[in-house]
Amino acid sequence: MRQILPFPTLLSGFVAVLVGYASSAAIIWQAAAAAGASSAQIAGWMTALGFAMGISTLALTFWRKAPVLTAWSTPGAALLVGGLQHVTLAEAVGVFIFANALIVLCGVTGLFARLMRVIPHSLAAAMLAGILLHFGLQAFVSLQDNLLLCGSMLLAWLALKAFAPRYAVVAALVVGCAAALMNGEVNTSALSFSFAAPEFIAPVFTPQLLISVGIPFFLVTMASQNAPGFATLQANGYQVPVSPLIIFTGALALLLSPFGVYSICIAAITAAICQSPDAHPEPSQRWRAAAAAGGFYLLAGAFGGSITALMSALPVAWIQMLAGLALLSTLGGSLVQAMAQENERDAAMVTFLVTASGITLAGVGSAFWGLVAGGLCYAVLSLRRA
């Protein structure tokens, strides 16, 4: 069993799922609450989302034999928090179905695949580095107010990185848990485990709402979630067909929309954890980490009603430091790839800085605008060289 699924590989899958839930579970709850969902309905959404991510991750990973993780659209959920105010739950489901249908159409026509083929590899790597920079900085900023917890995790990671690098993140996790328990920072009384069955909601389609919320939600999901997801795969050397994956994830989300699955996308940040050397020294074997993540997603879905309680029991600084350390090697590798070509370095730097800035323009996140700004620089400088 250890040969099939080494512990660091299993851990990478666990950390990927933990980071995914920790970074966006609260936003999803806010979006559902904005549409008037009850606590039981919101818990059902979390169950459906966990199962959807588990099924799609396992299906795509075994199909392509590559570490293809799926995720819900966190930028999309943030948009829904404001867009679904004073909207019925049935109308919200109508928005989900409309947006996911547009995603399927985008995959069938091949438009998204053509756009991905023209993105230079250096810009894709720079965008990934810009996305991950926040997590790296956040990990070390947490040292300021949580020196004992985060400092012990950092020292444990460093010691193992020098002598047994594959277990460096394992050491940080174990030492961090021990430090949190000793400091009384784990709220065990908040833990509760229960199953919340998803509830079917018949959709209602309101044309005005589809235009004002559905179309922006579709654009944000494609530009701020799927584009970085495929860029992450590309930057880590995994060539997968774009359109079939878009069709699969869009169609599955379309089928499950009435149960609260508002989106299924190709993951970027959590996928980077399973695509790093820490997951497995052999790139061809890192799909096993993604498969482990799919299993953990299914497990998380079974306890969808307990996700928020579980997240609240863990110290935020512990999650931030663990995520930062887990993504450190991926961030470094992305920067190397982004700056490797001297004639593309300026465009890559622009992409990196705009993405890392976190700006949002017209409701679209910085990852998209980083590619736009870097692509414009790349085109202009290429013309000058020509």
Side-chain angles (χ1 to χ4, degrees), residues 147 188 259 261 285 381:
L147 183 59
T188 55
F259 298 96
V261 179
Q285 297 299 313
L381 295 175

Side-chain angles (χ1 to χ4, degrees), residues 139-161:
F140 291 97
V141 167
S142 62
L143 280 167
Q144 181 174 339
D145 298 320
N146 302 272
L147 183 59
L148 179 61
L149 173 64
C150 297
S152 62
M153 294 176 69
L154 179 60
L155 290 175
W157 173 86
L158 182 60
L160 270 290
K161 195 71 175 176

Side-chain angles (χ1 to χ4, degrees), residues 322-345:
L322 188 66
L325 293 176
L327 292 168
L328 200 60
S329 60
T330 304
L331 173 59
S334 299
L335 287 171
V336 170
Q337 294 176 50
M339 302 299 141
Q341 300 295 326
E342 186 176 355
N343 60 345
E344 299 177 4
R345 197 167 293 164

Side-chain angles (χ1 to χ4, degrees), residues 315-379:
V316 174
W318 181 84
I319 297 172
Q320 291 174 339
M321 178 57 75
L322 188 66
L325 293 176
L327 292 168
L328 200 60
S329 60
T330 304
L331 173 59
S334 299
L335 287 171
V336 170
Q337 294 176 50
M339 302 299 141
Q341 300 295 326
E342 186 176 355
N343 60 345
E344 299 177 4
R345 197 167 293 164
D346 290 334
M349 183 56 72
V350 169
T351 301
F352 169 70
L353 292 175
V354 173
T355 302
S357 70
I359 62 170
T360 299
L361 300 174
V364 179
S366 60
F368 173 77
W369 295 117
L371 276 182
V372 170
L376 180 61
C377 293
Y378 181 87

Side-chain angles (χ1 to χ4, degrees), residues 17 21 42-55 72 193-198 261 293-307 310:
V17 174
Y21 272 96
I42 296 174
W45 280 28
M46 298 304 296
T47 298
L49 283 166
F51 285 147
M53 300 312 138
I55 292 169
W72 44 71
F193 300 96
S194 60
F195 178 77
V261 179
F296 283 119
Y297 266 125
L298 291 177
L299 186 61
F303 297 101
S306 309
I307 294 301
L310 180 61

Side-chain angles (χ1 to χ4, degrees), residues 45-363:
W45 280 28
M46 298 304 296
T47 298
L49 283 166
F51 285 147
M53 300 312 138
I55 292 169
S56 54
T57 293
L58 287 170
L60 294 177
T61 294
F62 282 109
W63 175 28
R64 304 308 311 176
K65 281 294 188 289
V68 183
L69 264 74
T70 58
W72 44 71
S73 173
T74 301
L79 183 147
L80 292 174
V81 171
L84 297 183
Q85 296 288 340
H86 311 299
V87 170
T88 68
L89 205 56
E91 289 176 321
V93 170
V95 170
F96 302 163
I97 292 175
F98 175 72
N100 287 319
L102 289 179
I103 291 173
V104 173
L105 181 62
C106 195
V108 171
T109 58
L111 176 61
F112 191 66
R114 288 193 290 272
L115 290 175
M116 289 301 299
R117 279 198 294 268
V118 302
I119 298 175
H121 184 72
S122 61
L123 300 193
M127 182 179 70
L128 175 59
I131 294 169
L132 299 181
L133 179 64
H134 167 73
F135 289 85
L137 293 175
Q138 192 177 54
F140 291 97
V141 167
S142 62
L143 280 167
Q144 181 174 339
D145 298 320
N146 302 272
L147 183 59
L148 179 61
L149 173 64
C150 297
S152 62
M153 294 176 69
L154 179 60
L155 290 175
W157 173 86
L158 182 60
L160 270 290
K161 195 71 175 176
F163 301 104
R166 291 188 64 191
Y167 296 93
V169 176
V170 178
L173 185 149
V174 172
V175 171
C177 285
L181 284 169
M182 285 190 297
N183 291 338
E185 296 180 89
V186 179
N187 183 17
T188 55
S189 63
L191 293 174
S192 62
F193 300 96
S194 60
F195 178 77
E199 178 184 339
F200 178 85
I201 304 294
V204 171
F205 299 98
T206 305
Q208 183 180 5
L209 192 62
L210 298 182
I211 295 171
S212 62
V213 179
I215 291 178
F217 175 64
F218 158 73
L219 293 173
V220 166
T221 298
M222 295 301 285
S224 298
Q225 191 69 56
N226 275 323
F230 281 105
T232 301
L233 283 163
Q234 184 184 79
N236 284 291
Y238 298 100
Q239 303 300 322
V240 296
V242 175
S243 292
L245 267 63
I246 289 293
I247 294 171
F248 178 87
T249 54
L252 185 59
L254 183 62
L255 178 67
L256 298 177
S257 289
F259 298 96
V261 179
Y262 66 95
S263 71
I264 301 175
C265 307
I266 303 302
I269 294 168
T270 52
I273 296 173
C274 294
Q275 294 164 9
S276 73
D278 291 331
H280 200 286
E282 294 294 330
S284 62
Q285 297 299 313
R286 291 173 193 164
W287 64 269
R288 299 179 188 275
F296 283 119
Y297 266 125
L298 291 177
L299 186 61
F303 297 101
S306 309
I307 294 301
T308 300
L310 180 61
M311 291 299 101
S312 64
L314 296 167
V316 174
W318 181 84
I319 297 172
Q320 291 174 339
M321 178 57 75
L322 188 66
L325 293 176
L327 292 168
L328 200 60
S329 60
T330 304
L331 173 59
S334 299
L335 287 171
V336 170
Q337 294 176 50
M339 302 299 141
Q341 300 295 326
E342 186 176 355
N343 60 345
E344 299 177 4
R345 197 167 293 164
D346 290 334
M349 183 56 72
V350 169
T351 301
F352 169 70
L353 292 175
V354 173
T355 302
S357 70
I359 62 170
T360 299
L361 300 174

